[in-house]
Every structure is written in structure tokens, then in C-alpha cells.
Amino acid sequence: MKKTKKRIIFLSTILIVCISLFTIYYNRKPLLKATSNWLTAQTIPFNLLVNPNKINKSIHPHAIALNEIDNQKYQEDLTEIDNLINSFNRHQQKFSWLSPTQTKQLQKRVKQKPHRYISSITPLLLGQDRTGQYTVLSINCYDDTTQIRSYRYRVYFRNHRSVKSHYLKTTTNTKPPKFIGFTNTLGVSGITKAPNFIDTINSTLTNSDVANQPNASSHQYSQLGKNIGLKNSGSALQQYALNSDANYKNSAITGYEISDVPRETKFFITQINKETKHYYTLIYNRNQGSFTGFQTGKHTVADIK
């Protein structure tokens, strides 16, 4: 009796399975369409597909717009800088482009030594980055020694007024910094030439066997730099090549500065590799009308004068 009952259950199960399979097969197209529509309507949490912590959020740095500056625009910018300098109230020792807090901090720095006073203000450069257009102003102070102490500020300006300013550093020298832009023309800035020269660097590295050699020396990279007019650029080109992606698309020009002493335009390049940023400076010599240097790090006139 038990065997008969088990046989009936077994045969019934097989029959049900067969009927189900036949039904599914016969109605397979409507079922597939319904299933597809259901899946399409679902919202799958993004973190189930990709871990956002593993995403390279900024594989390509945000480049700035590289618009040419002609001599007329340059003179207009110099006029704005001159207005910033002339806004200094010598009697009250106050600057329109410094906040009240910054003014107090500067006064405290100046008064650290008796008989120290502000003698002159020198613009060091004209720059552009993602924040906007800026100049670096050097506030030069004399005291009873032969040293000149200069306080450097980056001042952003727009539409004939200062927007904000940042204290950079303090330097000392026996001579005040120079700026000859007020009596000289800009010449060719090199701004619109920079992207093409970056392409030249990339193609030079791509087409060279040096970049494919893990043990290549900086001397070998230096020779590649000399081939395109760059001096003492071996170590910078080596680092740039080793940290570039396959298409050399993980770097961009993120700022530039125009100076007269030296008469150069410096382009600042940011490169991102595995969420680590690397910085380089490409130098355009305006006297020679050519790119002459490629260095690691950000090199600004405000640091060396």
C-alpha cells in the first residue's frame, strides 16, 4: 500500500513538472518580455555594481581655458594691478585688497622690528588658475639693516577690484624685486602654444623606446628633452612618463604665470595617477619665443625672487 502511494506521488510530481515545463516553453516569449520589463523597471543600488570608493573620481584634472593675451589686454591688466598698488594708504598703512584680519597680521609682522616701514609694493607676475586672474604683490619693507624684508600676497582681481587675497610667504634680500612690465610690452605669451607643445612631449615619449624601458635613466629622458628644445628636463620627463596613463590623458594645464624678471611664462601642469597628484612646470622663454624647460613641482617667481 505504501509503495503504491509513493509511486502515485512520484508519477504526479513528474506529471506536474512536465506540464510546467511545457507551459513555460509554450509561453516563453511573453514570459521573457515580462521578465525583461520587470528588470528594467527596477532600481539597482549603485554600490552593488561599483564600489564608489574605488572610482577614480578625477582621472583627468580640470584644465583652465587658455585664451591668448594680447598686448592691449596685458596693459589693461597692468592698469588694474597699478590701481591695487596705488590704493595703499601710506599714512594709515592700510591696503584695500587686504581684509581687516590680514591687515592686522601684516602690521604685526612689520612691527616685529623697530624702525621697519613699508617702502614700496612690487607686482611680481600676472597669473591665472581655476579660481581666476591674480597677481602676486610684494610688500617691501626697510629697517636699520641692509636686508629688505618682503611680504608676498596673491591677490585675485576682477572688474577693477580685488576679489580675495592670500598670504604666501616672507622673503629677505639686499635688493628689491624687479618688474618691468609697466614700461615694456608683453610680446608672445606662449599661452596658445602650450597645448600643442604638451602634445609634442606626449608624442615624443610615446614614439620613443625609452619610455618602454623600466630601467631607463634620467639621462636618456634628458636627451629626449633636448631633441625638442628642453634643458635639464630628464628627471621631470621620466616622472611624467612613469605616471602617465596609456594615452597620456591624465594631465592638464591648471594654471600659468607671466613674469618679466625672468621674462617667461610658466605653465603649471597637474597629473593624476592612482588618485595621487603630481605637479610640473613648463617654461616658455618670451625672449627666445620657445619652450626651454620642464621641471617637477610648481616653480613660481614669487618663491625665488
Side-chain angles (χ1 to χ4, degrees):
M1 184 71 178
K2 289 184 179 180
K3 289 182 179 181
T4 302
K5 186 176 181 180
K6 288 182 179 179
R7 182 173 297 178
I8 293 172
I9 294 173
F10 177 73
L11 293 175
S12 299
T13 302
I14 292 177
L15 181 61
I16 292 171
V17 170
C18 291
I19 293 172
S20 299
L21 292 174
F22 177 78
T23 302
I24 292 172
Y25 178 78
Y26 183 78
N27 297 285
R28 63 187 184 280
K29 291 184 178 181
L31 286 172
L32 287 173
K33 184 177 181 180
T35 302
S36 177
N37 292 338
W38 181 84
L39 289 173
T40 302
Q42 303 311 303
T43 301
I44 302 175
F46 181 71
N47 59 357
L48 293 181
L49 299 175
V50 181
N51 184 348
N53 295 324
K54 298 298 183 181
I55 297 176
N56 192 344
K57 297 180 180 178
S58 53
I59 192 171
H60 192 281
H62 295 288
I64 62 167
L66 295 172
N67 300 318
E68 186 59 82
I69 298 178
D70 57 23
N71 192 61
Q72 181 179 349
K73 175 67 166 61
Y74 181 59
Q75 295 302 325
E76 291 173 357
D77 292 337
L78 292 184
T79 299
E80 292 207 44
I81 294 173
D82 196 32
N83 291 335
L84 289 175
I85 295 173
N86 292 331
S87 68
F88 169 56
N89 187 317
R90 191 174 297 276
H91 177 69
Q92 297 182 354
Q93 298 281 287
K94 289 184 179 181
F95 301 85
S96 64
W97 37 273
L98 292 181
S99 68
T101 300
Q102 289 175 324
T103 299
K104 290 181 181 179
Q105 291 172 341
L106 176 60
Q107 290 174 343
K108 184 176 180 180
R109 292 187 179 102
V110 173
K111 293 178 181 178
Q112 283 179 345
K113 189 167 185 178
H115 312 297
R116 180 178 293 164
Y117 65 96
I118 297 174
S119 173
S120 62
I121 304 170
T122 306
L124 302 182
L125 52 88
L126 176 67
Q128 179 83 27
D129 59 17
R130 290 190 62 202
T131 301
Q133 193 172 34
Y134 64 88
T135 182
V136 173
L137 299 180
S138 177
I139 302 175
N140 310 308
C141 297
Y142 286 86
D143 50 34
D144 54 2
T145 68
T146 58
Q147 294 291 320
I148 299 173
R149 183 170 290 269
S150 297
Y151 305 99
R152 307 286 168 83
Y153 289 85
R154 180 188 292 115
V155 183
Y156 290 89
F157 62 91
R158 185 172 59 248
N159 298 329
H160 305 288
R161 67 181 183 87
S162 60
V163 179
K164 61 180 176 180
S165 59
H166 301 287
Y167 169 73
L168 298 179
K169 62 181 300 184
T170 299
T171 65
T172 57
N173 206 325
T174 56
K175 296 180 180 180
K178 294 181 180 181
F179 183 76
I180 60 176
F182 291 110
T183 57
N184 204 346
T185 59
L186 171 66
V188 179
S189 68
I191 292 174
T192 56
K193 294 182 178 181
N196 289 336
F197 194 80
I198 295 295
D199 289 340
T200 298
I201 292 176
N202 294 341
S203 61
T204 298
L205 294 172
T206 301
N207 297 329
S208 171
D209 292 334
V210 174
N212 296 323
Q213 299 174 16
N215 299 321
S217 65
S218 61
H219 177 74
Q220 291 173 283
Y221 282 95
S222 181
Q223 185 58 52
L224 293 179
K226 289 180 181 178
N227 294 342
I228 55 177
L230 300 177
K231 300 177 182 179
N232 304 319
S233 59
S235 59
L237 288 174
Q238 184 178 35
Q239 176 177 301
Y240 179 78
L242 293 176
N243 290 304
S244 292
D245 58 16
N247 299 317
Y248 287 87
K249 297 296 184 182
N250 63 332
S251 61
I253 297 174
T254 53
Y256 64 80
E257 291 181 349
I258 299 172
S259 63
D260 279 312
V261 186
R263 193 168 166 76
E264 296 174 339
T265 303
K266 292 182 170 67
F267 298 90
F268 305 124
I269 299 168
T270 301
Q271 181 186 53
I272 300 179
N273 178 277
K274 297 179 181 179
E275 299 184 356
T276 299
K277 292 184 177 181
H278 305 273
Y279 301 96
Y280 309 88
T281 301
L282 175 65
I283 300 172
Y284 180 80
N285 187 305
R286 299 206 309 281
N287 287 331
Q288 300 178 18
S290 61
F291 292 93
T292 58
F294 188 73
Q295 304 170 336
T296 55
K298 181 178 180 180
H299 298 271
T300 171
V301 170
D303 289 336
I304 62 176
K305 290 183 65 177

